[in-house]
């Protein structure tokens, strides 16, 4: 190394230390400053999904037909037209009348493009009509209604929160985004450095990089400082090596890199909890709370169900375990595959071992013989946007048969069964270790049907170190429904786990325990180094405020203040104010709680938890009538809510109005037909009103839950009524396999 290079490196290190010492903050300089030195990367970025993620509406950016085009949806004519250089739509607003709205921004380019309207209060909303940007031969070049069934009371109605750019979309579609929500005026003044996803969205602010390279373009001399950036976006594996007996190359070593965390900022299903915390210099969950593998987002075997944006799938995979990063497959600047699709997997997996004769058993070069067809199946979202599953599942039709999950074999061979597919795989791979039913999906499925063995199965998954961390965390989270001494021990061990997802899973899984047990479990996490972990622990424990000692309140004070900061940051959504109100209520500050619940209703009228929680607060104050009126306001705002109707029914039961209560319970079961609790309470409320319907409802509760207690409730009710003797006898026969002999003896003695 030359003396000049040496001194340059030394000087660079000195500068970085000095800037750190004096609190220097790098600034955003814009993608155009990068082109002179990084022309190839810049040209790759041009025209990419990142560069075109969001644009000002203009002749150059608009793809849709605004030439006085008309589109009929639900029998109503919507019009798309121009006024000079401006783009406008005439569509229905929340008042049921048609209005003219100016399109200010575009969203995306392929396979669809969305359009946004900006309102006077700073809200930017996505209109419901989307341009299908595919070729006409593929069914594109047309307008379509993205959510044709949504009404003004739905979250995803175009002027409601589900279609709000400021909260839902902005952080990922622009660079250096600041939401700037003002809760006093309920307005946004959202800002960005760059309207789309620019260079600094991934690399971080570039001013220091420019300063360090301004007089010396030989960036090799600056490598010790990541070229002036605080992020290392290199690949985790620098060398892949062959190992005897392994069908794929193995990493010589896996080094720490920030690349996946940077991509995960946008390519993940998560909730933002901070704008100031750095998810790269720190941990991902210092800034975002990641969604786990839940039934709402994933199938029982971890396949994508709802949109997960890749990261949650990727974390389940063997690829993540082996150190594969996004740029192993994708060009990070164009976002396209780095090499042709058929060659991507062959970078590590020997083509000789995965030939049609040895592995795919389908015609060579056919769609069925592609790696991605079987291991990365697509799910289509937004009607025209197929996205690949990045968990790289191995097709397991035997598990699909057991756990009611889809598989690629029968999705292609629609006329065949899972059994047929499983037999085929056994012929092709007779010695495969996957010819068994050992898989976390069995535990997740058992939990979904409330099987008696679900608790133990989830514990086994949670304690299995061979499982991915996100699966272990998700298993712990589901343990909340199955408290036991064994489960408590699993939670205790998981709280000490090095992975923050696992620790958060343990927090969620501890919900079923009494205060003293839960405090012992969660108290160590109040000082956890990861923001999401300590704040989630504080949020879980504050509900026991009245039972906390002076010392315990002192321990929870700092992380609770941070938890409150998160809710303050999210006061543009109903959940932010509602969580804040829950804290106030726990602390006995009921007036503040009532005010916060009411603010939640104002900010997001369709957020049902605010009505339910406020009604419960009124109930605790012996103001049942006011509580019921609150629930009715909620039902007016959100008439298709099963929980609101159910809770209103409970209120009427407490008011001794059984018939009216039964009507609300009936409505709840109609709106949420898969909830066994609603069917149970509906059935019990009808016992002295309509025994036949009551029997049907209780039977439905048991069918849905598999819970013997629901079957017992049905038998007990029938035994009270002599006219139901035959049904009661049949019910007892059904109950016999579940109940102890002495209990059955007592029940049978009641038969007339």
């Amino acid at each position: 190394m030359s003396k000049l290079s040496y001194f340059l490196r030394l000087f660079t290190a000195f500068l970085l230390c000095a800037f750190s010492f004096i609190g220097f903050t790098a600034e955003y300089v814009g993608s155009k400053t990068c082109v002179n030195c990084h022309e190839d990367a810049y040209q790759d970025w041009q025209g990419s999904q990142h560069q075109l993620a969001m644009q000002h509406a203009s002749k150059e950016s608009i793809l849709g037909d605004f030439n006085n085009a008309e589109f009929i949806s639900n029998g109503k004519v919507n019009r798309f037209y121009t006024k000079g250089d401006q783009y406008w739509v005439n569509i229905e607003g929340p008042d049921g009348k048609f209005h003219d709205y100016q399109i200010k921004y575009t969203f995306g380019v392929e396979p669809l493009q969305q359009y946004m309207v900006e309102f006077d209060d700073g809200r930017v909303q996505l209109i419901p009509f989307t341009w299908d940007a595919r070729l006409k031969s593929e069914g594109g070049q047309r307008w379509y209604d993205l959510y044709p069934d949504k009404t003004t009371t739905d979250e995803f109605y175009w002027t409601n929160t589900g279609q709000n750019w400021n909260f839902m979309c902005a952080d990922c579609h622009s660079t250096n985004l600041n939401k700037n929500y003002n809760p006093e005026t309920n307005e946004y003044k959202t800002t960005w450095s760059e309207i789309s996803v620019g260079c600094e969205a991934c690399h971080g602010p570039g001013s220091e990089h420019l300063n360090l390279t301004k007089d010396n373009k030989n960036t090799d001399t600056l490598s010790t400082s990541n070229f002036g950036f605080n992020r290392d976006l290199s690949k985790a594996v620098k060398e892949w090596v062959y190992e005897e007996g392994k069908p794929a190359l193995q990493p010589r070593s896996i080094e720490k890199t920030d690349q996946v965390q940077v991509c995960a900022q946008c390519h993940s299903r998560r909730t933002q909890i901070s704008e100031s915390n750095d998810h790269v210099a720190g941990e991902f969950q210092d800034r975002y709370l990641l969604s786990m593998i839940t039934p709402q987002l994933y199938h029982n075997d971890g396949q994508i169900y709802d949109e997960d944006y890749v990261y949650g799938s990727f974390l389940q995979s063997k690829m993540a375990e082996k150190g594969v990063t996004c740029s192993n497959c994708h060009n990070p600047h164009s976002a396209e595959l780095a090499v042709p699709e058929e060659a991507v997997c062959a970078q590590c997996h020997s083509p000789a071992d995965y030939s049609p004769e040895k592995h795919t058993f389908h015609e060579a070069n056919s769609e069925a013989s592609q790696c991605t067809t079987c291991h990365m199946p697509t799910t289509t979202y937004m009607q025209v946007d197929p996205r690949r599953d990045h968990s790289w599942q191995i097709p397991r039709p035997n598990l699909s048969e057991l756990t009611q999950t889809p598989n690629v074999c029968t999705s292609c061979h629609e006329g065949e069964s899972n059994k047929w597919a499983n037999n085929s795989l056994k012929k092709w791979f007779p010695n495969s270790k996957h010819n068994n039913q050992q898989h976390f999906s069995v535990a997740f499925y058992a939990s979904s049907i409330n099987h008696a063995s679900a608790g133990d199965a989830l514990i086994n998954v949670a304690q299995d170190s061979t499982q991915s961390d996100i699966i272990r965390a998700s298993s712990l989270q589901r343990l909340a429904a199955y408290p036991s001494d064994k489960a408590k021990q699993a939670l205790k061990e998981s709280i000490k786990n090095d992975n923050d997802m696992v620790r958060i899973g343990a927090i969620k899984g501890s919900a079923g325990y009494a205060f003293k047990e839960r405090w012992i479990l969660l108290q160590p996490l109040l000082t956890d180094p990861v923001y999401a972990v300590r704040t989630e622990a504080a949020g879980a424990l504050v509900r026991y405020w009245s039972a906390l000692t002076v010392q315990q309140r002192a321990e929870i004070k700092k992380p609770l203040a941070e938890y409150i900061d998160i809710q303050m940051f999210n006061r543009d959504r109903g959940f932010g104010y509602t969580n804040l109100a829950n804290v106030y209520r726990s602390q006995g500050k009921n007036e503040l709680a009532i005010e916060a619940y009411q603010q939640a209703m104002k900010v997001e009228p369709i957020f049902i938890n605010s009505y339910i929680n406020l009604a419960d607060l009124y109930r605790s104050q012996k103001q049942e009538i006011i509580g019921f009126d609150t629930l009715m306001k909620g039902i007016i705002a959100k008439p298709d809510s099963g929980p609101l109707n159910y809770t209103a029914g409970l209120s009427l039961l407490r008011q001794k109005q059984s018939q009216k209560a039964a009507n609300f319970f009936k409505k709840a079961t109609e709106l949420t037909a898969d909830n066994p609790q609603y069917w149970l309470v509906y059935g019990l409320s009808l016992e002295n009103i309509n025994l036949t319907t009551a029997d049907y409802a209780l039977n439905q509760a048991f069918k849905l839950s598999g819970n013997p207690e629901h079957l017992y409730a049905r038998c007990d009710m029938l035994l009270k009524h002599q006219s139901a003797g035959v049904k009661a006898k049949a019910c007892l026969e059904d109950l016999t396999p579940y109940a102890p002999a002495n209990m059955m003896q007592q029940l049978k003695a009641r038969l007339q």
Side-chain angles (χ1 to χ4, degrees), residues 459-521:
I459 291 169
N460 290 338
V461 173
Q463 294 182 320
D464 183 358
S465 61
T466 66
Q467 299 287 348
S468 64
D469 290 323
I470 195 169
I471 292 299
R472 298 178 72 183
S474 303
S475 189
L476 288 164
Q477 184 169 310
R478 295 174 190 233
L479 268 179
Y482 307 97
S484 68
D485 289 341
K486 190 176 177 182
K488 187 164 60 175
Q489 183 59 34
L491 294 170
K492 185 176 181 181
E493 294 170 4
S494 299
I495 278 163
K496 302 173 185 176
N497 194 282
D498 290 338
N499 185 272
D500 54 1
M501 289 184 294
V502 173
R503 300 197 297 277
I504 288 178
I507 295 171
K508 303 289 187 184
S510 69
Y513 297 90
F515 161 63
K516 289 185 178 179
E517 294 174 298
R518 207 173 187 201
W519 175 268
I520 292 170
L521 284 169

Side-chain angles (χ1 to χ4, degrees), residues 71-130:
F71 173 70
I72 299 175
S73 178
N74 293 321
K76 299 176 182 178
V77 179
N78 304 275
R79 193 162 63 90
F80 307 85
Y81 62 100
T82 59
K83 288 183 183 179
D85 294 335
Q86 297 176 350
Y87 291 81
W88 288 75
V89 293
N90 181 259
I91 60 176
E92 190 173 24
D95 60 359
K97 298 178 181 179
F98 275 68
H99 302 276
D100 294 317
Y101 300 97
Q102 184 184 354
I103 299 299
K104 296 295 290 291
Y105 308 102
T106 68
F107 230 38
V109 286
E110 189 276 328
L112 56 95
Q113 186 174 69
Q114 294 179 272
Y115 303 96
M116 293 182 285
V117 168
E118 186 169 15
F119 290 92
D120 292 339
D121 60 4
R123 278 175 169 74
V124 178
Q125 302 288 143
L126 289 98
I127 68 169
F129 305 109
T130 303

Side-chain angles (χ1 to χ4, degrees), residues 125 181 186 215 225 229 339 428 455 528 531 547 599 637 657 682 713 725:
Q125 302 288 143
Y181 172 72
N186 192 22
D215 299 322
S225 64
F229 294 107
V339 295
W428 295 338
D528 195 276
Y531 191 64
Q599 280 296 111
Q657 299 183 48
Y682 177 42

Side-chain angles (χ1 to χ4, degrees), residues 365-419:
N365 302 318
S366 67
E367 177 71 18
S369 201
Q370 294 292 321
C371 306
T372 52
T373 300
C374 291
H375 298 289
M376 298 183 73
T378 59
T379 299
T380 299
Y381 301 104
M382 306 179 83
Q383 300 185 34
V384 300
D385 189 6
R387 301 181 200 165
R388 292 202 179 276
D389 193 318
H390 280 66
S391 59
W392 288 284
Q393 301 261 340
I394 293 173
R396 298 283 297 274
N398 59 330
L399 290 176
S400 295
E401 183 76 20
L402 177 65
T403 63
Q404 306 300 304
T405 52
N407 73 80
V408 294
C409 302
T410 52
S411 66
C412 278
H413 299 274
E414 295 180 356
E416 302 292 353
S417 66
N418 287 318
K419 185 176 181 181

Side-chain angles (χ1 to χ4, degrees), residues 319-379:
M319 306 295 182
E321 178 189 334
K322 294 293 185 180
V324 171
T325 52
C326 309
S327 64
N328 283 108
C329 302
H330 296 273
N331 178 324
H333 300 110
S334 70
E336 301 293 334
L337 289 176
V339 295
E341 181 178 329
E342 60 271 17
V344 171
C345 302
Q347 294 178 104
C348 292
H349 297 269
S350 167
D353 291 322
Y354 292 92
S355 65
E357 297 78 15
K358 291 184 178 181
H359 189 74
T360 72
F361 299 98
H362 287 78
E363 183 181 347
N365 302 318
S366 67
E367 177 71 18
S369 201
Q370 294 292 321
C371 306
T372 52
T373 300
C374 291
H375 298 289
M376 298 183 73
T378 59
T379 299

Side-chain angles (χ1 to χ4, degrees), residues 434-448:
H434 302 294
N435 290 332
N436 58 59
Q437 294 182 341
Q438 293 181 350
H439 194 269
F440 67 81
S441 62
V442 178
F444 284 9
Y445 176 67
S447 175
S448 72

